[in-house]
């Protein structure tokens, strides 16, 4: 299933995308796509319900983040060897963890270039959505705790990240820096998360072009690893790293985003996002 949330910011309703591309309102089945609604039992019940029984949503509403009330975006840094290489850093021996503390936004919402931002950068990432409480899970069982997958855009302000004391979180958490969506695609529909093409374009030029098979640490390894240090709960979103091709790694001169730039990004079987970057006002 392709699950989504539609409507004005803060007033989104849960929906699904049917086989004809229509948005169906599922709010009579679940209040929101969060908490217990992401459990295996809830998703199974929803999948067994005839989508034609849900009303069609008219028009072309705004899409919000496909997970409601995201409390944590837990990020994995340097998880593609080619990105570590372009960053001039060795491949990590264990997953590098940081937290993105901005609120999740819709996949096509405008993104603010932050006040004082000089090096705003792009990073397309596979997002993993946790469906049930997990702690100390073994790698072989880790994927059973995943409700589904989505696209995450880990927008980054490199000047804040690298030139203001070396703390990644403050370069990752500016307003609008957490686009998710368009959909939460359930794990059964995605299949193997380690065989997905992943790409990003800026103003029509392709900069990132990779595949999740090139992750240093797989989704199963990441979920298992995190569960040994923290309890993961339904609705947690894990951003699993980005392939080579970020602006900071562009040769011979790094390239960063400016007002008016349009970024389009996508992952195989998960859809596409598009954002326009706008000045801080």
């Amino acid at each position: 299933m392709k699950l989504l949330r539609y409507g004005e910011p803060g007033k989104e309703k849960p929906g699904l995308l049917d086989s004809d591309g229509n948005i169906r309102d599922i709010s009579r089945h679940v209040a929101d796509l969060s908490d217990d609604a992401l459990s295996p039992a809830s998703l199974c019940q929803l999948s067994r319900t005839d989508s034609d029984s849900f009303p069609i949503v008219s028009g072309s509403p705004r899409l919000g983040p496909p997970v409601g009330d995201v409390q944590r975006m837990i990020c994995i840094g340097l998880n593609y060897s080619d990105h570590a290489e372009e960053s001039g850093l060795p491949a990590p021996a264990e997953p590098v963890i940081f937290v993105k503390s901005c609120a999740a936004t819709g996949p096509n919402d405008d993104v603010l270039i932050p006040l004082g931002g000089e090096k705003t950068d792009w990073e397309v990432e596979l997002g993993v959505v946790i469906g049930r409480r997990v702690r100390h899970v073994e790698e072989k069982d880790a994927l059973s705790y995943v409700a589904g997958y989505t696209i995450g855009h880990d927008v980054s302000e490199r000047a804040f990240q690298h030139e203001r004391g070396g703390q990644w979180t403050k370069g990752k958490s500016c307003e609008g820096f957490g686009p998710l969506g368009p959909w939460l695609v359930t794990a059964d529909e995605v299949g193997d998360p380690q065989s997905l093409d992943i790409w990003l374009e800026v103003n029509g030029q392709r900069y990132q072009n990779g595949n999740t098979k090139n992750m240093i640490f797989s989704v199963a390894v990441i979920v298992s690893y995190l569960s040994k240090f923290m309890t993961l709960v339904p609705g947690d979103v894990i951003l699993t790293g980005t392939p080579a091709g970020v602006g900071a790694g562009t040769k011979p001169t790094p390239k960063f985003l400016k007002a008016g730039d349009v970024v389009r990004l996508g992952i195989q079987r998960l859809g596409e996002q598009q954002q326009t970057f706008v000045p801080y006002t």
Side-chain angles (χ1 to χ4, degrees), residues 17-279:
L17 195 74
D18 69 18
S19 58
D20 295 320
N22 300 307
I23 295 176
R24 300 273 182 168
D25 181 350
I26 61 171
S27 58
R28 69 176 174 85
H29 181 83
V30 293
D32 202 355
L33 295 173
S34 59
D35 301 323
D36 290 344
L38 299 172
S39 70
S42 177
L43 294 179
C44 182
Q45 182 180 358
L46 184 58
S47 70
R48 291 175 176 173
T49 305
D50 183 358
S51 63
D52 290 344
S53 68
F54 299 119
I56 291 177
V57 177
S58 61
S60 301
R62 167 191 173 268
L63 296 180
V67 182
D69 193 28
V70 177
Q71 296 296 309
R72 294 190 295 189
M73 279 188 276
I74 306 159
C75 304
I76 308 300
L78 302 173
N79 196 31
Y80 289 72
S81 56
D82 56 357
H83 176 51
E85 182 178 354
E86 74 175 352
S87 300
L89 297 168
E94 295 189 31
V96 175
I97 303 170
F98 63 93
V99 174
K100 196 174 184 72
S101 63
C102 61
T105 59
N108 304 313
D109 291 346
D110 290 346
V111 177
L112 286 173
I113 294 177
L115 185 65
E118 302 173 348
K119 299 178 180 180
T120 303
D121 205 347
W122 57 82
E123 293 189 18
V124 57
E125 309 208 2
L126 174 66
V128 178
V129 180
I130 297 299
R132 56 191 177 112
R133 186 180 178 91
V134 52
R135 55 184 177 180
H136 296 287
V137 68
E138 296 301 320
E139 180 184 339
K140 64 182 178 62
D141 300 317
L143 294 185
S144 69
Y145 290 83
V146 174
Y149 303 89
T150 191
I151 302 169
H153 189 180
D154 180 18
V155 186
S156 307
E157 173 47 56
R158 303 298 188 191
F160 296 173
Q161 179 183 356
H162 297 304
E163 299 167 20
R164 299 293 299 275
Q167 299 176 34
W168 287 18
T169 295
K170 63 189 174 188
K172 302 283 189 169
S173 302
C174 302
E175 183 177 351
F177 273 22
L180 296 177
W183 313 303
L184 164 59
V185 185
T186 51
D188 62 307
E189 185 167 322
V190 173
D192 181 7
Q194 305 306 148
S195 62
L196 304 174
D197 292 332
I198 179 170
W199 56 271
L200 180 145
E201 297 174 351
V202 180
N203 299 327
Q205 181 176 345
R206 183 70 58 98
Y207 283 91
Q208 292 187 276
N209 204 26
N211 189 285
T212 57
K213 68 182 179 183
N214 296 320
M215 287 183 183
I216 297 170
F217 305 105
S218 70
V219 171
V221 168
I222 290 168
V223 172
S224 174
Y225 185 85
L226 289 174
S227 78
K228 294 174 172 56
F229 298 95
M230 63 188 78
T231 299
L232 301 172
V233 299
D236 280 346
V237 177
I238 304 167
L239 300 184
T240 56
T242 197
V246 301
T250 302
K251 301 293 190 296
T253 304
K255 177 179 175 62
F256 299 108
L257 294 164
K258 61 185 184 300
D261 284 345
V262 176
V263 178
R264 190 167 71 97
L265 55 152
I267 300 178
Q268 184 181 5
R269 299 199 283 276
L270 302 183
E272 296 183 8
Q273 299 182 0
Q274 181 169 299
Q275 298 103 30
T276 299
F277 281 70
V278 297

